Amino acid sequence: MAGGAGELSLSPARIAGGVALALVVALCLGTLLPLVLAAEPGRGIGPADRAAIRFTLFQATLSAGLSVLLAIPVARALARRRFPGREALVTLLGAPFLLPTIVAVLGLIAIWGRSGLASRALGLAGLGPLDVYGLGGVLLGHVFFNLPLVTRMLLQGWGAIPAEHWRLAAQLGMGPGAVFRHLEGPMLREVLPGAFLLVFLLCSTSFAVVLALGGGPAASTVELAIYQALRFDFDLGRAALLGLVQFAICLVLAAGLLALGRQAGFGQGLGGPVARHDAARPLARAIDAGAILFAAAFLLLPLGAVVVRGLPALIAGLPAQVWPALRVSLSVAVPSALLSLALALALAGLVTSVRRGLLAEALTLMGLAASPFVIGTGLFLVLNPLVNPFALAIPVTLLVNAVMSLPFAMRVMVPAMRRAREDYGRLADSLGMSGVSRFRLAVWPALRRPAGFAGGIAAALSMGDLGVIALFADPETATLPLTMYRLMGAYRMEAAAGTALLLLLLSLALFWIFDRGGRWLDRA
Amino acid sequence: MIVLETLVLQQGDFRLEADCRFREGAVTALIGPSGAGKSTLLSAIAGFLAPARGRVLIGGEDMTGRAPADRPVTMLFQEHNLFPHLRVWQNVGLGLDARLRLDRAQRAEVDAALAEVGLAGTGERRPAELSGGQRQRVALARALLRRKPVLLLDEPFAALGPALRTEMLALVAGIAERERMSVLMVTHMPGDARAIAAETALVAEGRVAPPRPTGPMLDAPEGALAAYLGAAG
């Protein structure tokens, strides 16, 4: 932007951006201060905590490695094959993102648990049932969520290889080996480190999967240890120390991602396949068919199980505690999505008004790296002397959820805002448009659709979140995911399955309403 | 000789018909408005696009069903002709062996081809260290080594300045004449056609017109060609 009146007239937008920035930084970084004060470093890190740190890094390494290794053949198959249902499968790859974690866990147990589909199939072959709890379950959960994410990132990478290079390869008669060496290998070297680090980061802050599938102290992560220290031992010093450890882990990873200098993409990855002359051999076809069938079954079976098991329970009627929880969930998710959207809008305005994109990157990564438990623990320590923190469970959850979905909302809003500025910024400058009218007439129209989409993501994420609410909730207050987790803990699996289906439908409905709302505003 | 026999190319709503032949061992220009299908025609000859009907013959042989690598054709694209992670000599060497296992004699061939296009001593560089014109020279060196009788140019010099473009065209014309290559060249510039193409074919209105001698055709343009070139033609 070339200075002048337009630059000055941005000041209300800049103030909003500054306020949003201050709030986010205060929540993500400011909450560290009470942790530092409470941490009692003299006590050191005990053996149980050391084990939790080791397990956190160990499972995150394996989760990221497996997600990446399995995603490569799946993405390659999707990149070079056209088949009926391809578009649907690529869309399905986006679904786990909106799926409440605890719902996915229930679906995974229905397939991979002791009495699940896989165990029964093994039983027919005379083999013992599977035990899903422990390291295996944690990996299963993490791969379920991150295999689709990495696949989409890689699919984008394949799509970014110029069509000319495929034609060149065909003309030069390159076989699969040469194509891998000269086209796919270099692309993977670019994309994979970022994908691996991103998944590592997501898996090292994951809570619900470890809580529900970890199955005991042997598979306890730092996040879980914080939860236990606060919730069961009420050991604030230990929780604070663990919070700092968790923050340090995330900081290193985020710095790594920033150093790689690439956007941690959550992109669309929908680039159409190029005609491929190198993939006609029967072996390549068989491998691709296998990869596609594997991915489809791995993703669809648990989702199908949630529907098949949940539907009868939902029709038969859910336990009484579900309905108040539904009200709580909605009163968290909707305001949280709106808050997240407002923050994203203000921050997008701020980061696009400075020339460098680094601020946007750093903010996104800060949101990704911030652990809800670190923020929650910090808030807990601040609030504890003043009020009963458990009384503030709902506002705190709302606030933390809004910050947690901020990276994703910004991923959508920043490019839209940048486009709006590039397309109409100079025109608006030259017409002397400023302040509210500039926003209303020149900026907002270009943002309505992406805002609806971003709000939908934030609402679905908040609806399905089982994180900080577990830390703060008293027995009477619970969101839908927490209620579902409690039902599972009480072995009321029928009721849990019904609640899971309800939660799934509500998350998708919220996303749909926001997304449609954006489109409707755009048309009106 | 390249023969297009009742050829029909179809891509969604787009349709192009061709029924003509291009002279052997000569440069033929394809001229016409953007979107008329000049590049699509080259893609079909190179084997990247299967025709809806009709066939392509090169040197009397039917190309139907032949993979791009099995056709006697080299195509130069507007950009992305080189792999950015490979050195210049490797990019050229791909023309001899796609797995890049070159013996000493082949390495010498690569160096000779580079010298031929005026890039002696640049073998160890990477494409990013070269200018746009130099990069297309590397691609031309690879085309030389491939020794295919047909060279298809999909505007590889369009992004270069006028002086450089003229120089590159002269280089191509010299190589084509010496190697007895048949060249099909897509261009927007009547001047380019005049410079090196003995004959020119108009691609417009869904049809490839049979090629005619370039000079007379451009001196007295008619119909769609006149519309394309403008009144001043």
Side-chain angles (χ1 to χ4, degrees), chain A residues 331-381:
Chain A
S331 62
V332 169
V334 175
S336 165
L338 293 174
L339 178 62
S340 185
L341 201 53
L343 288 173
L345 205 58
L347 288 173
L350 186 70
V351 300
T352 54
S353 72
V354 295
R355 202 169 280 277
R356 292 260 157 220
L358 201 63
L359 180 61
E361 261 327 81
L363 267 173
T364 305
L365 282 171
M366 191 170 77
L368 276 181
S371 139
F373 280 80
V374 174
I375 298 178
T377 311
L379 287 175
F380 196 104
L381 291 169

Side-chain angles (χ1 to χ4, degrees), chain A residues 94-488:
Chain A
F97 188 69
L98 294 178
L99 192 65
T101 315
I102 192 72
V103 171
V105 164
L106 190 93
L108 287 169
I109 291 174
I111 303 300
W112 300 100
R114 238 181 140 57
S115 54
L117 216 56
S119 287
R120 270 183 279 165
L122 282 177
L124 293 179
L127 296 167
L130 297 167
D131 181 16
V132 76
Y133 298 100
L135 177 62
V138 172
L139 295 182
L140 191 64
H142 285 164
V143 172
F144 179 81
F145 278 100
N146 294 302
L147 170 69
L149 173 69
V150 179
T151 303
R152 283 168 77 94
M153 289 172 81
L154 292 181
L155 209 46
Q156 253 185 340
W158 252 282
I161 296 176
E164 285 92 339
H165 283 182
W166 294 114
R167 294 181 156 195
L168 202 52
Q171 188 158 74
L172 297 171
M174 288 187 179
V179 163
F180 188 82
R181 263 181 67 199
H182 299 313
L183 283 84
E184 296 171 327
M187 180 279 289
L188 290 174
R189 270 200 298 279
E190 294 239 318
V191 180
L192 283 186
F196 181 89
L197 265 187
L198 180 66
V199 176
F200 194 104
L201 178 62
L202 294 175
C203 291
S204 65
T205 60
S206 132
F207 172 71
V209 166
V210 186
L211 178 70
L213 290 173
S220 175
T221 58
V222 177
E223 294 274 81
L224 213 62
I226 296 174
Y227 168 70
Q228 273 152 354
L230 273 185
R231 191 76 200 177
F232 299 116
D233 311 334
F234 212 77
D235 188 342
L236 290 176
R238 185 165 160 245
L241 193 61
L242 287 167
L244 289 177
V245 168
Q246 178 73 47
F247 178 76
I249 293 174
C250 292
L251 190 69
V252 170
L253 293 171
L257 274 170
L258 205 58
L260 281 176
R262 251 173 294 287
Q263 300 222 322
F266 300 91
Q268 307 292 310
L270 298 173
V274 196
R276 294 281 299 271
H277 301 268
D278 59 303
R281 304 181 189 199
L283 181 64
R285 283 169 175 276
I287 290 172
D288 286 356
I292 288 166
L293 285 177
F294 157 77
F298 184 64
L299 295 176
L300 277 175
L301 285 177
L303 291 178
V306 169
V307 176
V308 169
R309 292 207 170 176
L311 205 54
L314 192 58
I315 292 168
L318 296 172
Q321 67 262 43
V322 166
W323 305 111
L326 172 69
R327 217 175 42 242
V328 171
S329 267
L330 282 175
S331 62
V332 169
V334 175
S336 165
L338 293 174
L339 178 62
S340 185
L341 201 53
L343 288 173
L345 205 58
L347 288 173
L350 186 70
V351 300
T352 54
S353 72
V354 295
R355 202 169 280 277
R356 292 260 157 220
L358 201 63
L359 180 61
E361 261 327 81
L363 267 173
T364 305
L365 282 171
M366 191 170 77
L368 276 181
S371 139
F373 280 80
V374 174
I375 298 178
T377 311
L379 287 175
F380 196 104
L381 291 169
V382 173
L383 295 174
N384 198 33
L386 307 171
V387 283
N388 175 12
F390 297 110
L392 291 176
I394 296 200
V396 166
T397 306
L398 190 160
L399 194 63
V400 172
N401 283 356
V403 174
M404 288 300 116
S405 44
L406 196 55
F408 309 104
M410 288 203 34
R411 244 308 166 271
V412 178
M413 296 307 289
V414 168
M417 183 75 94
R418 193 158 277 148
R419 257 198 316 279
R421 276 178 193 276
E422 278 162 11
D423 290 352
Y424 301 113
R426 286 173 181 214
L427 181 62
D429 280 349
S430 69
L431 294 173
M433 294 165 85
S434 65
V436 176
S437 70
R438 180 190 177 102
F439 180 78
R440 195 167 58 84
L441 295 173
V443 180
W444 178 238
L447 297 181
R448 288 183 290 219
R449 256 168 182 261
F453 181 70
I457 288 179
L461 286 180
S462 177
M463 189 76 198
D465 176 67
L466 175 59
V468 87
I469 185 70
L471 204 59
F472 281 88
D474 54 45
E476 281 79 51
T477 339
T479 57
L480 216 42
L482 187 56
T483 303
M484 200 193 130
Y485 174 66
R486 285 176 181 166
L487 287 170
M488 283 168 76

Side-chain angles (χ1 to χ4, degrees), chain B residues 69-90:
Chain B
D70 300 331
R71 299 187 179 211
V73 170
T74 295
M75 183 158 165
L76 258 54
F77 310 105
Q78 193 161 356
E79 50 179 359
H80 301 303
N81 282 298
L82 307 183
F83 293 111
H85 59 284
L86 294 182
R87 296 181 188 285
V88 163
W89 73 264
Q90 290 173 310

